[in-house]
Amino acid sequence: MVVNSVHWFRKGLRLHDNPALQEALNGADTVRCVYILDPWFAGSANVGVNRWRFLLESLEDLDSSLRKLNSRLFVVRGQPTDVFPRLFKEWNITRLTFEYDSEPYGRERDGAIIKMAQEFGVETMVRNSHTLYNLDKIIEMNNNRPPLTFKRFQAIVSRLELPRKPLPTITPEQMDGCRVRIADNHDEHYSVPSLEELGFKNVSQADAVWKGGESEALERLNKHLDRKAWVANFERPRINMLSLLASPTGLSPYLRFGCLSCRVFYYNLRDLYMKLRKRCSPPLSLFGQLLWREFFYTAATTNPAFDRMEGNPVCVQIPWDHNPEALAKWAEGRTGFPWIDAIMTQLRQEGWIHHLARHAVACFLTRGDLWISWECGMKVFEELLLDADWSVNAGSWMWLSCSAFFQQFFHCYCPVGFGKRTDPSGDYIRRYIPKLKDYPNRYIYEPWNAPESVQKAANCVVGVDYPKPMINHAESSRLNIERMKQVYQQLSHYRGLSLLASVPTIQEEVEPSLSDDSQASGSSTPGVQTTPQTTTTATKTTTDAEAATPPPAIVVTSSSTATPVSAVPLASAPPGIAAQAQRKRSWPTELQSAQRCSQSKLQHTSKPSTGQE
């Protein structure tokens, strides 16, 4: 029997450690590698130019690697449900392979494609390589519920066997046995589109800080592993201004798009550690960021409402404010707080920010200052952040807003003091807000306090050339802590839990995180940090808690299996953000698929830029 295979790339944009692609090649007469993209949808998607560029570069790199194997990548325009029936007939396909997608949307999409393939008599083979572990097995070992504390998750993982070893890269010999004739007009029909074709005009390639693709990912991995002394000593690097900038060893976007296998990264780290430590087995905490990624994937896999507050059994129902104007100022870097504005400007320009910078802007938007829903911030990150994916992005925002996994709401980042401690000279602000470059160090974090003569000498008058602070941090943070206190008091009443009495004293000690830039693996996740010293009463507030790094994720429960803390809405809370648009049954690209799970889309008012971007 003739076997004609199609391998469907979504995530997993690589030739190394690709079990599903290996299955496509196994015993096949022909193999075609396909990526499906809907250019029409690209213009309306909530995905920024940096994310699209990274994807297209990754596809170009994949096509280049396949060319070296005398094959090509077929980028097919359309939607899977429309494309596959045509390809099955045109290419006489008998086998379809693709990587397992653990997220609820992906499971639904893939179920529909598998059913369709069966109707055409096409065998479907699905293999997992985007996560280290079998997430269903983790849930099964936790009484058929996702573990909702990181400590519980680690306890389960420690009882599992090591992740499967990565598979080797596809070889020319493998591809030679199932080669397909490539038509002379291949590029006319199946080439990787340009940004211009997707609707992005006048985009300068010089603007890109991160280059997409498997080749770049493996080069960065080698540089990352060259830091042998750091891996061996497992020291926490000191955070400074340079830590806030994109690093040539950063890996998180490559893990998100599957340009780098998480198993390859895991075993390279493990083997290097054991070599330098005389065969000593590494602690789980060496893989901290990879495990945070797995933790959020596990929490989300059976929860279609994971990316929203309403209907989400793990999310506290908080009566957030609806303030589109304030949201726009935050998203566009016009808050009047240079530390916050510099971070949001870097995110918009480059598509990446340090994990502590993510903590700062997330706290400012939600429970720290503006009291705006984490869902709004999640959608901005979904648009701009290269390494944002559905599970990790939503989980991180719930964590940082004290909506799930973590309830120490009395710790609040100061938008002035936190930055001062990280970069006392303010060079990071000068880099991303050049209007403030001539301010002396003393005033650069709070230019509104500078005398008028200093402001004029710096050619930047607050309220004219740079915005005044949009809010009084000291007052708003105190008010918001009281609001959070009321939320948890009422939640305690409904759930019969003594949350406020127990939150400050329950600690889950986790060893320091793996990397200073959190790029090493899935940096949308919170950094794995040691827990700061807690207070003895719940009423003590700490508005300048940035002196210590944030604590690990905590869910207060009466047992180690972690009962969801928010199934009951608060009596005094107005309805949460309403779901506005029903999800359409169309699946254009993996880059866009996360948005399909969101039933509401970010809407923020576009304001004229003040020039600080």
Side-chain angles (χ1 to χ4, degrees):
M1 176 182 173
V2 175
V3 177
N4 296 318
S5 295
V6 162
H7 176 70
W8 180 18
F9 281 101
R10 295 97 62 87
K11 296 177 184 176
L13 301 178
R14 62 179 185 272
L15 300 184
H16 73 274
D17 188 31
N18 196 325
L21 179 55
Q22 294 279 4
E23 291 290 356
L25 292 164
N26 188 23
D29 295 282
T30 64
V31 172
R32 291 176 175 87
C33 297
V34 168
Y35 187 90
I36 300 176
L37 185 147
D38 186 347
W40 176 86
F41 186 76
S44 60
N46 183 37
V47 177
V49 64
N50 286 319
R51 294 191 70 197
W52 274 114
R53 175 164 41 206
F54 192 95
L55 170 64
L56 298 183
E57 288 175 348
S58 298
L59 295 177
E60 290 279 10
D61 182 72
L62 186 58
D63 183 46
S64 176
S65 297
L66 287 168
R67 284 181 190 234
K68 297 174 183 176
L69 302 177
N70 296 314
S71 183
R72 291 293 301 274
L73 179 67
F74 292 76
V75 179
V76 185
R77 276 69 166 170
Q79 298 176 6
T81 49
D82 299 327
V83 164
F84 278 123
R86 173 169 60 84
L87 297 186
F88 289 161
K89 293 178 181 178
E90 182 179 335
W91 294 340
N92 193 26
I93 298 303
T94 61
R95 179 190 297 167
L96 172 66
T97 68
F98 52 83
E99 182 181 61
Y100 175 69
D101 190 335
S102 67
E103 294 176 333
Y105 161 80
R107 289 153 66 115
E108 178 186 349
R109 173 201 59 205
D110 294 347
I113 296 301
I114 291 171
K115 182 179 179 180
M116 176 190 296
Q118 288 175 340
E119 294 171 355
F120 281 86
V122 174
E123 174 190 24
T124 305
M125 305 183 75
V126 184
R127 297 292 181 267
N128 179 53
S129 58
H130 194 65
T131 58
L132 292 172
Y133 301 100
N134 182 327
L135 306 186
D136 293 333
K137 179 65 175 178
I138 294 174
I139 292 172
E140 178 186 336
M141 293 175 66
N142 195 54
N143 298 322
N144 295 313
R145 290 181 294 178
L148 296 182
T149 74
F150 190 68
K151 183 177 183 180
R152 177 63 179 168
F153 175 82
Q154 284 186 303
I156 294 172
V157 166
S158 67
R159 303 196 333 249
L160 295 173
E161 295 181 357
L162 291 177
R164 290 186 178 182
K165 290 287 186 71
L167 299 178
T169 301
I170 304 299
T171 65
E173 291 74 22
Q174 285 179 287
M175 195 62 78
D176 283 344
C178 45
R179 187 183 304 179
V180 174
R181 180 184 174 276
I182 304 300
D184 294 337
N185 63 349
H186 176 92
D187 287 340
E188 294 179 19
H189 301 285
Y190 301 114
S191 64
V192 177
S194 65
L195 285 170
E196 287 72 19
E197 182 180 342
L198 297 180
F200 295 99
K201 306 299 183 183
N202 303 318
V203 177
S204 171
Q205 292 296 322
D207 295 339
V209 174
W210 298 80
K211 180 182 178 182
E214 177 183 18
S215 301
E216 177 73 12
L218 294 174
E219 184 177 333
R220 283 170 172 260
L221 176 63
N222 290 332
K223 293 177 182 177
H224 190 89
L225 296 172
D226 282 342
R227 302 159 69 185
K228 293 182 180 179
W230 166 72
V231 173
N233 295 327
F234 195 44
E235 296 174 350
R236 178 192 293 277
R238 302 183 69 175
I239 305 300
N240 54 37
M241 185 269 185
L242 294 178
S243 308
L244 300 172
L245 306 180
S247 165
T249 64
L251 298 174
S252 62
Y254 304 93
L255 288 160
R256 182 261 177 259
F257 283 88
C259 302
L260 175 65
S261 160
C262 61
R263 301 192 299 196
V264 166
F265 182 40
Y266 176 94
Y267 276 102
N268 270 276
L269 271 180
R270 186 176 189 275
D271 294 346
L272 179 59
Y273 184 95
M274 293 181 69
K275 178 181 177 181
L276 297 175
R277 287 294 188 96
K278 310 299 183 186
R279 310 300 297 175
C280 176
S281 294
L284 273 179
S285 50
L286 178 66
F287 314 105
Q289 293 295 329
L290 281 175
L291 292 182
W292 272 108
R293 179 177 180 264
E294 300 275 319
F295 170 67
F296 284 134
Y297 277 137
T298 306
T301 185
T302 58
N303 183 0
F306 194 70
D307 65 337
R308 54 188 180 269
M309 182 175 74
E310 286 192 343
N312 185 348
V314 304
C315 182
V316 176
Q317 306 296 296
I318 298 174
W320 302 107
D321 290 342
H322 177 69
N323 191 335
E325 184 177 356
L327 172 62
K329 288 181 178 181
W330 173 84
E332 296 164 9
R334 297 186 290 109
T335 69
F337 290 92
W339 168 240
I340 301 298
D341 293 345
I343 293 170
M344 295 306 295
T345 301
Q346 181 189 19
L347 174 60
R348 189 168 294 276
Q349 290 178 356
E350 301 177 8
W352 178 89
I353 48 177
H354 188 277
H355 75 274
L356 290 181
R358 303 177 196 210
H359 294 184
V361 295
C363 183
F364 185 88
L365 178 71
T366 58
R367 61 186 175 85
D369 291 85
L370 301 185
W371 198 254
I372 292 175
S373 173
W374 60 268
E375 294 171 276
C376 298
M378 177 194 69
K379 292 178 177 66
V380 172
F381 274 28
E382 181 183 87
E383 175 189 355
L384 302 177
L385 191 62
L386 289 174
D387 57 43
D389 66 12
W390 188 76
S391 299
V392 179
N393 192 28
S396 299
W397 273 96
M398 282 189 280
W399 188 90
L400 292 166
S401 65
C402 288
S403 295
F405 312 115
F406 172 64
Q407 282 83 40
Q408 293 194 8
F409 55 82
F410 43 84
H411 289 308
C412 178
Y413 290 93
C414 174
V416 174
F418 185 27
K420 278 185 176 180
R421 268 184 274 276
T422 306
D423 175 28
S425 67
D427 289 338
Y428 175 75
I429 291 172
R430 293 186 179 92
R431 181 185 181 101
Y432 292 103
I433 310 180
K435 281 194 172 185
L436 297 174
K437 63 182 175 62
D438 293 328
Y439 266 77
N441 295 356
R442 177 181 177 183
Y443 296 115
I444 194 161
Y445 281 94
E446 37 194 346
W448 58 88
N449 284 336
E452 185 178 355
S453 59
V454 173
Q455 296 184 32
K456 289 181 177 179
N459 295 311
C460 182
V461 176
V462 174
V464 178
D465 305 297
Y466 180 74
K468 294 180 180 179
M470 64 182 295
I471 202 165
N472 184 310
H473 168 69
E475 292 180 2
S476 62
S477 61
R478 281 194 294 268
L479 172 63
N480 291 345
I481 288 172
E482 286 302 312
R483 285 168 137 178
M484 291 296 291
K485 181 180 176 182
Q486 292 176 17
V487 166
Y488 277 96
Q489 282 177 331
Q490 188 144 14
L491 185 62
S492 301
H493 172 73
Y494 274 106
R495 303 290 297 176
L497 302 174
S498 299
L499 282 175
L500 286 180
S502 59
V503 167
T505 57
I506 292 181
Q507 298 188 31
E508 297 184 349
E509 295 297 341
V510 181
E511 292 191 47
S513 64
L514 174 63
S515 85
D516 60 328
D517 51 18
S518 103
Q519 304 160 7
S521 39
S523 66
S524 283
T525 50
V528 185
Q529 310 288 350
T530 54
T531 307
Q533 184 178 0
T534 55
T535 58
T536 56
T537 66
T539 56
K540 180 175 179 180
T541 60
T542 309
T543 59
D544 213 17
E546 68 280 0
T549 49
I554 298 175
V555 173
V556 180
T557 63
S558 56
S559 68
S560 60
T561 54
T563 304
V565 298
S566 58
V568 182
L570 302 175
S572 60
I577 297 176
Q580 296 175 357
Q582 293 296 322
R583 181 175 59 195
K584 298 178 182 178
R585 302 294 183 187
S586 59
W587 303 297
T589 72
E590 179 58 37
L591 183 63
Q592 301 151 355
S593 66
Q595 300 162 54
R596 297 293 194 177
C597 288
S598 302
Q599 291 188 330
S600 59
K601 186 171 181 177
L602 170 69
Q603 298 290 335
H604 62 75
T605 306
S606 179
K607 298 287 184 179
S609 173
T610 57
Q612 66 268 27
E613 294 187 343

